[in-house]
Amino acid sequence: MLVEARERHRAGQPVLVGTQSVAESEHYAKVLAEAGIEAHVLNARNDAREAAVIAEAGEYGAVTISTQMSGRGTDIRLGGIDEHDHRRVARSGGLAVLQIGRYPSGRLDAQLRGRSGRQGDPGTTATFVSTTDELVQANAPDHLLEKIRRRGSQLDQTTLGSIIDQAQRIAEGIQHDRHRDTWDFSRAIARQRDTVLGDREAVMNGDRAALEVTRRIPEAFDRLASASSPSVVARLARDVALWCLDEQWCDHLAHLTEIRDGIHLQALAGVNPRDEFHRIALREFRGFFASAYDRAADIIRDVTPDQLGQDITVLGLRRPSATWTYMTSDNPLGSPMDRAARAAGKWIRTRVYRIE
């Protein structure tokens, strides 16, 4: 990569180096600096100037190093806004995108390469990959890793390209499984969330809270109503019930999160974790509303007449800052494909290959 970047930089061609991590971006910036090439580094540590750095990446002789260029939303214009500079950069070959390693997704690779040669402009792309890259080590099947170990430098570029392509496809499959798992688990929570939101709506815009509380503690409700008015106690019942529903939902989510974190151990016993989670989530949701309204009744039973008409904070009740949260944690054990990929051996010789 260093030789390629140096040659293109000497010709005035702007160079964009795509890396896999912040650590890699800083490493290659240091390597280029030692070779006398100053590079602008764009990563999570200097995102304040992100748009400006990207916009300047197409200027004559510019060298930019970045992590995952996809989705940054700023176009790279050759030579900036000056038409003369645009022609000069175009004559130098346009933007050269040098990608170090493959992403776990081919879509991200294409987005990075797509930074070059846009709207009829000239450009060049090159990808530098190694059999020691994490993508290969974590995802290539055993027999391919064994082939690399045995044949090493004798492997031709076509075979190496095929191995890396297959490792990337496996990584994409694992990522797809994880997204499906997350969606399935979130779907169970979403259904219960909608049910709770519907009940909250009935509490906020109707007399559901007053009816539930009166049914549980009729004497206390009448006592407070006599000290003020039924409408004041109804407002109190509404506010306390909403607080209890929110608290109950937070507790329910926390409990399901604990279950979610360990549910994939069921896979080792041959049980489908998603089906088991749905079953447990349904079981744990039973009695949700009864418990919330029981708690509201217990709180209102202890309210004194002088506390009526005040905010519920006088009762020590404070609303949570975030209530309606989905669980989106990944599968810690992984799908069967994930576990099989991680079981692959690590016998890999160090050698860098280039695939264009």
Side-chain angles (χ1 to χ4, degrees), residues 26-312:
E26 294 177 344
H27 168 72
Y28 285 106
K30 182 178 179 181
V31 169
L32 290 172
E34 292 173 351
I37 301 174
E38 181 182 357
H40 296 287
V41 181
L42 178 63
N43 55 39
R45 297 180 182 175
N46 61 354
D47 58 351
R49 293 192 62 246
E50 176 179 301
V53 172
I54 292 295
E56 296 166 1
E59 295 182 355
Y60 187 82
V63 178
T64 307
I65 302 176
S66 174
T67 57
Q68 195 166 323
M69 291 293 299
S70 62
R72 295 201 182 271
T74 304
D75 211 11
I76 299 177
R77 180 176 172 79
L78 299 187
I81 61 175
D82 187 273
E83 191 61 33
H84 172 72
D85 288 343
H86 180 275
R87 289 194 296 269
R88 182 170 64 152
V89 173
R91 286 195 298 269
S92 73
L95 180 66
V97 173
L98 308 182
Q99 179 178 351
I100 299 175
R102 291 270 199 92
Y103 290 115
S105 167
R107 178 179 59 83
L108 297 180
D109 290 339
Q111 287 179 336
L112 175 59
R113 292 194 300 268
R115 290 284 183 170
S116 179
R118 296 173 67 87
Q119 300 180 357
D121 288 330
T124 304
T125 67
T127 302
F128 299 85
V129 292
S130 169
T131 53
T132 60
D133 286 349
E134 182 179 354
L135 177 73
V136 177
Q137 293 192 37
N139 298 288
D142 283 344
H143 71 280
L144 293 183
L145 295 175
E146 177 64 16
K147 180 182 289 188
I148 293 172
R149 187 186 69 82
R150 286 188 292 101
R151 299 182 59 185
S153 59
Q154 298 177 7
L155 290 172
D156 57 81
Q157 292 289 299
T158 301
T159 301
L160 288 168
S162 176
I163 291 173
I164 293 166
D165 287 342
Q166 186 166 343
Q168 186 178 62
R169 286 195 297 271
I170 292 173
E172 288 175 332
I174 292 171
Q175 189 176 57
H176 178 269
D177 284 349
R178 288 175 175 170
H179 288 168
R180 184 183 61 187
D181 276 353
T182 298
W183 182 81
D184 275 347
F185 286 117
S186 295
R187 183 179 57 173
I189 304 303
R191 290 172 177 168
Q192 295 180 357
R193 175 180 181 270
D194 289 342
T195 302
V196 176
L197 283 174
D199 195 82
R200 287 182 93 257
E201 185 72 18
V203 170
M204 292 179 66
N205 301 315
D207 58 357
R208 178 169 174 76
L211 292 174
E212 293 287 349
V213 170
T214 302
R215 185 166 62 85
R216 285 168 170 80
I217 50 169
E219 296 85 0
F221 192 95
D222 291 341
R223 171 178 56 84
L224 293 174
S226 298
S228 56
S229 70
S231 61
V232 170
V233 184
R235 284 197 298 272
L236 173 65
R238 181 197 63 189
D239 293 343
V240 172
L242 288 174
W243 183 88
C244 290
L245 286 169
D246 290 349
E247 283 291 301
Q248 187 83 3
W249 179 250
C250 286
D251 293 343
H252 182 66
L253 270 186
H255 182 51
L256 290 186
T257 298
E258 293 179 1
I259 296 171
R260 169 75 169 88
D261 289 342
I263 196 66
H264 292 284
L265 293 173
Q266 299 289 336
L268 303 180
V271 178
N272 186 308
R274 291 190 295 275
D275 292 345
E276 183 66 10
F277 180 80
H278 280 247
R279 187 187 66 78
I280 295 174
L282 182 61
R283 182 192 69 198
E284 296 299 319
F285 194 62
R286 294 193 186 104
F288 178 94
F289 296 107
S291 179
Y293 290 119
D294 285 346
R295 187 175 184 181
D298 289 340
I299 293 172
I300 293 174
R301 180 185 288 112
D302 296 330
V303 171
T304 60
D306 61 305
Q307 293 174 321
L308 293 172
Q310 300 186 54
D311 190 85
I312 62 172

